Amino acid sequence: MSQLIDKVEAANLKSDLPSFAIGDTVDVHTRILEGDKERTQIFSGTVIARAGRGTRTMFTVRRIVAGEGVERKFPLHSPRIARIEVKRSGIVRRAKLYYLRDRVGKSVRLRERRAAAAD
Amino acid sequence: MAKGILGRKVGMTQLFDESGKALSVTVIQAGPCHVLQIRTPERDGYSAVQVGFLDKPRRLARRSERGHVAKLNSKRVKNRSAAGVELPPKADCEPQRFVREFRGSAEGFTVGQKITVADLADVKAVDIAGITKGRGYSGAMKRHNFSGQRASHGVKKVHRHMGGTGALAAWRGGGRPKKGKCMPGQYGNSRVTVRNLRVARIDAENNLLMVLGAVPGPAGGMLIIQQTNKVG
């Protein structure tokens, strides 16, 4: 039965997604319609969670705007998401970084995974 | 008969439309169905089309079920055909697991014909009937969306109770509940029809029908799907 669901979802899955992990700092390019015009908006921040599977996969990006924490949840496979760019990857030991919500200032930083270390 | 088909609920998921909007859809494995019998007013007193869905292993099917879908090589059949009795036409398929009738004129249907989901291609919306999940003996809050009672202010051990039932004098003079009063009782495990579900997508290759919204029953539950009779 669930194989049938996978078949249905297969057509809606994106194949060109970059691989990003929890703790990465990403730029999410979203398409926004304003009247007839379409423009791209960028939301950049740290990926703190990823949930669901198939077309229902959502990921949460957190950033600090003017001293206030802002989180946005995106459907990973939505056509409205034009591009996801990985800016830097952080070293984390959990799948959900909800502990960042209780932190401010310097303690929000994550250790960076260097390219050499990743290899 | 209105366009109809039998199916099985696969589950729910989310798809994206052209504008990027997420649609909540229920995926239904619909058909292919065999037409097993045509009911006629002369023979049966009403007209309908009997269809079957999903094959059943022959070892699990009764002899009558096997004889219903295909010609049996029995003594009776031989004797009857020898006596010149014309036997009813058979679909000549495996015994069917789920057999239901669609009422209405059987025009354009013949026994043995296959109904597939592609036949619903021009249907905009469907009515879907299924057996809901059984919830057992449930209280008034769950069964009828009553509000229950307060958590405090003197309420004692009756927080999920339904309150008074029959004190209002306008109904039967008071002292007795109004007829049909909503109360706790068996909830679920009943046939429910959800009407006017819009068809989101049809996948004829995999025999899948996708409708917007939820349908009754668990994943794997059997469903009766018909073109909606709602106007407009």
Side-chain angles (χ1 to χ4, degrees), chain B residues 115-161:
Chain B
I115 301 174
T116 64
V117 75
D119 297 334
L120 300 178
D122 56 341
V123 172
K124 288 239 159 35
V126 289
D127 293 343
I128 297 184
I131 307 289
T132 58
K133 287 182 183 172
R135 291 164 180 85
Y137 196 99
S138 301
M141 279 180 73
K142 192 179 185 69
R143 192 174 181 225
H144 300 295
N145 293 329
F146 281 16
S147 306
Q149 294 178 36
R150 303 171 89 165
S152 64
H153 289 279
V155 177
K156 273 185 182 169
K157 298 176 186 170
V158 290
H159 309 287
R160 292 186 63 87
H161 284 222

Side-chain angles (χ1 to χ4, degrees), chain A residues 1-5 7-13 33 53-58 75-80, chain B residues 8-21 25 27 29 201 203 206 208 210 219-221:
Chain A
M1 299 294 275
S2 66
Q3 288 118 5
L4 288 174
I5 294 254
K7 266 187 195 171
V8 169
E9 288 183 349
N12 268 254
L13 293 179
L33 271 179
R53 64 191 185 88
T55 52
R56 291 152 290 167
T57 313
M58 305 282 282
L76 183 59
H77 293 280
S78 166
R80 284 197 193 161
Chain B
R8 179 157 71 164
K9 177 164 158 181
V10 175
M12 291 192 73
T13 184
Q14 186 177 293
L15 302 175
F16 297 102
D17 68 4
E18 306 79 47
S19 63
K21 224 166 110 183
V25 297
V27 182
Q29 184 191 357
R201 230 160 269 187
D203 181 352
N206 297 311
L208 297 176
M210 279 146 265

